[in-house]
């Protein structure tokens, strides 16, 4: 085992569910990464909206080092200081009165769905189990969350799926009215769709969902795993809409790159769960919670959130100019530092080429489906890194157009 690891080892040793690009990153600082050969890349993907404060942030490193030297894990036979600090911080900053910690987004959604089902069955009986969800949505890769997600390519060929899930089109309130009813226990929605191209819900849509859920005593569940934690310029996207869910899930950016998921709810709803109703071995362990405390405290600050809004405007105006000058994409959708560049019809299906050619030009970008280039920068990206990344993106556009 003395030879250095290389990309070929991925194909040799890993279960083939991913096909990573050729380079292997070994170091990161701010919004820049370096590969094994010492080449640098501007990071406009943030590890899929996870490294919200960039790479190697001093406050996160300090929190990690400090906690690592003290205590890593004690189990849920006991509680711990970092998790209690984090819980208090989240409840002070959001609608939440009770929180449950997991290690990932999918697990946070599992908790939300179990809670919604249990509450509905306790209150109304065993028929109230239906979940309304949306075509194109993404909620994770566990059995339940892939079934609730609206992308059959992820859930087909795996045998029977959990029952009681109904999908309708996003932003189509009449379609929701047709399927919601006394059997509905929850409506699960991303307030801004991430994986399918950074598509925001209309405010009327979310407002009407709120009314319908209240009317049918169904839980309005916002999956803010990607839209949360400052991404949109609000701490959570629901705050910008002024529509408060009953249950909110988040993960990705909340600990700046350390695995952490959260399910938030009210005291009354949380009381449907008792000791033993749900659990997790690693969820809320001191190490993850300490890093999350440091990250979330920065993310919720006015300085960071105002920075997201101003950097987003700077990037959006440059991207609109680039749309015209390069002719690669038309609509520039954005919610804070989260962009969906809708490729023009003649470039349709080529979002993946932006990922590969981007890497050749030293730029990391994401896809949002086949026709959308998705960007999710660090929330604290410097103006110099932002401008350098946009210059590289312009070169990518010109190469792909040629
Ligand atoms: C990433 C994501 C998930 C899944 O999170 P994991 O941590 O990969 O389990 C769920 N919902 C949304 C909206 C996401 O973006």
């Amino acid at each position: 085992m003395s030879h250095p690891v290389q990309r070929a080892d991925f194909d040799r040793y890993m279960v083939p569910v991913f096909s990573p690009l050729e380079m292997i990153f070994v170091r990161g600082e701010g919004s820049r990464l370096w590969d094994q050969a010492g080449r640098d890349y501007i990071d406009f993907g943030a590890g899929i909206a996870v490294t919200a404060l960039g790479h190697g942030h001093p406050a996160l490193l300090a929190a990690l080092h400090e906690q690592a030297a003290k205590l890593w894990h004690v189990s849920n036979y006991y509680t711990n200081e970092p998790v209690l600090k984090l819980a208090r911080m989240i409840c002070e900053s959001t609608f939440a009165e009770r929180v449950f910690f997991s290690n990932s987004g999918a697990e946070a959604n599992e908790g939300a769905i179990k809670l919604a089902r249990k509450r509905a069955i306790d209150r109304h009986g065993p028929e109230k189990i239906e979940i309304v969800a949306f075509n194109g949505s993404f909620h994770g890769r566990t059995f339940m969350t892939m079934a609730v997600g609206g992308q059959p390519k992820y859930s087909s060929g795996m045998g029977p799926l959990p029952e009681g899930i109904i999908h309708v089109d996003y932003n189509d309130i009449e379609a929701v009215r047709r399927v919601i009813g006394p059997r509905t226990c929850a409506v699960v929605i991303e307030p801004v769709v991430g994986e399918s191209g950074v598509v925001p819900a209309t405010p009327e849509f979310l407002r009407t969902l709120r009314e319908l859920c209240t009317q049918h005593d169904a839980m309005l569940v916002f999956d803010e795993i990607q839209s949360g934690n400052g991404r949109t310029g609000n701490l959570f996207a629901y705050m910008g809409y002024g529509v408060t869910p009953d249950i909110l899930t988040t993960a990705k950016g909340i600990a700046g790159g350390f695995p952490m998921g959260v399910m938030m709810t009210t005291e009354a709803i949380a009381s449907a769960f008792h000791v033993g109703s749900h659990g997790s071995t690693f969820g809320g362990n001191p190490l993850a919670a300490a890093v999350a405390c440091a990250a979330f405290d920065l993310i919720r600050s006015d300085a960071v959130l105002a920075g997201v809004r101003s950097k987003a405007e700077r990037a959006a105006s440059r991207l609109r100019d680039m749309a015209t000058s390069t002719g690669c994409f038309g609509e520039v959708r954005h919610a804070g530092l989260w962009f969906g560049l809708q490729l023009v019809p003649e470039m349709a299906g080529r979002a993946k080429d932006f990922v590969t050619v981007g890497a050749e030009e030293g730029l990391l970008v994401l896809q949002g489906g086949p026709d959308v280039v998705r960007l999710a920068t660090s929330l604290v990206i410097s103006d110099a890194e932002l401008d350098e990344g946009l210059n590289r993106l312009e070169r990518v556009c010109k190469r792909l157009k040629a």
Side-chain angles (χ1 to χ4, degrees):
M1 287 303 286
S2 59
H3 71 84
V5 288
Q6 51 199 6
R7 173 62 179 76
D9 292 324
F10 186 94
D11 298 332
R12 178 150 178 213
Y13 297 115
M14 305 281 277
V15 172
V17 295
F18 301 112
S19 71
L21 296 190
E22 280 304 313
M23 70 287 200
I24 296 180
F25 297 118
V26 293
R27 191 165 72 82
E29 195 181 314
S31 288
R32 218 175 271 267
L33 286 163
W34 286 269
D35 68 12
Q36 288 174 318
R39 269 197 82 204
D40 83 289
Y41 301 78
I42 297 286
D43 185 3
F44 273 10
I48 319 190
V50 168
T51 48
L53 297 167
H55 301 277
H57 192 289
L60 274 58
L61 274 175
L64 181 69
H65 287 155
E66 194 189 317
Q67 190 61 41
K70 283 197 212 161
L71 187 65
W72 290 20
H73 182 83
V74 292
S75 91
N76 291 303
Y77 276 79
Y78 319 98
T79 189
N80 66 78
E81 288 183 353
V83 83
L84 296 177
K85 284 185 198 155
L86 180 62
R88 186 164 69 192
M89 212 184 268
I90 291 170
C91 290
E92 282 168 2
S93 315
T94 67
F95 80 100
E97 296 165 343
R98 295 290 185 270
V99 292
F100 173 85
F101 294 103
S102 63
N103 315 289
S104 68
E107 287 172 90
N109 282 337
E110 285 282 337
I113 293 163
K114 283 171 72 174
L115 178 61
R117 280 248 175 115
K118 180 152 192 322
R119 176 186 175 278
I121 291 168
D122 285 352
R123 289 167 69 106
H124 302 275
E127 302 285 290
K128 194 171 174 71
I129 58 143
E130 282 180 3
I131 295 164
V132 177
F134 296 91
N135 294 323
S137 63
F138 183 77
H139 298 298
R141 300 302 202 120
T142 62
F143 243 92
M144 188 62 175
T145 58
M146 83 182 175
V148 174
Q151 301 190 58
K153 69 179 176 198
Y154 293 141
S155 56
S156 63
M158 303 260 184
L161 295 176
E163 295 170 44
I165 302 157
I166 303 167
H167 292 98
V168 296
D169 283 347
Y170 195 76
N171 274 335
D172 183 348
I173 201 65
E174 291 314 315
V176 176
R177 281 187 206 283
R178 283 195 289 275
V179 298
I180 199 169
R183 293 167 59 100
T184 310
C185 71
V187 174
V188 179
I189 185 167
E190 297 168 82
V192 182
V193 174
E195 297 301 306
S196 294
V198 191
V199 181
T202 64
E204 315 85 81
F205 185 64
L206 293 187
R207 276 199 296 270
T208 312
L209 284 184
R210 175 66 281 174
E211 285 165 19
L212 291 171
C213 283
T214 304
Q215 188 184 325
H216 294 286
D217 198 27
M219 297 287 92
L220 180 59
V221 180
F222 280 0
D223 177 343
E224 292 228 35
I225 289 164
Q226 196 161 157
S227 64
N229 309 304
R231 180 54 53 199
T232 65
N234 290 108
L235 182 55
F236 288 95
Y238 84 85
M239 296 170 175
Y241 282 100
V243 175
T244 305
D246 298 300
I247 304 176
L248 184 151
T249 55
T250 196
K252 292 208 162 87
I254 190 159
F258 206 96
M260 160 69 68
V262 192
M263 177 187 72
M264 312 178 194
T265 189
T266 64
E267 179 187 356
I269 295 165
S271 69
F273 270 177
H274 309 293
V275 173
S277 298
H278 191 48
S280 165
T281 293
F282 289 120
N285 80 73
L287 203 52
V291 181
C293 278
F296 191 71
D297 198 33
L298 281 168
I299 290 169
R300 70 175 176 164
S301 69
D302 291 337
V304 168
L305 294 174
V308 171
R309 296 190 286 265
S310 64
K311 289 169 204 298
E313 283 316 312
R314 182 190 179 95
S317 84
R318 177 86 190 274
L319 287 165
R320 285 189 205 102
D321 290 346
M322 215 183 284
T324 316
S325 67
T326 68
C328 276
F329 48 91
E331 190 185 10
V332 175
R333 288 189 294 276
H334 87 102
L337 281 170
W338 198 20
F339 294 88
L341 314 177
Q342 184 74 46
L343 297 181
V344 296
E346 62 167 302
M347 300 287 282
R350 297 191 65 190
K352 189 163 198 294
D353 296 345
F354 282 77
V355 176
T356 48
V357 174
E360 286 168 24
E361 294 290 337
L363 177 70
L364 308 180
V365 301
L366 307 168
Q367 286 182 247
D371 307 327
V372 175
V373 177
R374 177 172 42 138
L375 312 178
T377 70
S378 152
L379 307 182
V380 295
I381 188 171
S382 68
D383 288 344
E385 290 163 330
L386 187 58
D387 291 344
E388 177 61 29
L390 290 165
N391 292 341
R392 292 182 189 189
L393 181 60
E394 190 157 5
R395 287 206 289 278
V396 174
C397 288
K398 286 180 176 153
R399 262 184 67 186
L400 285 171
K401 193 71 199 221

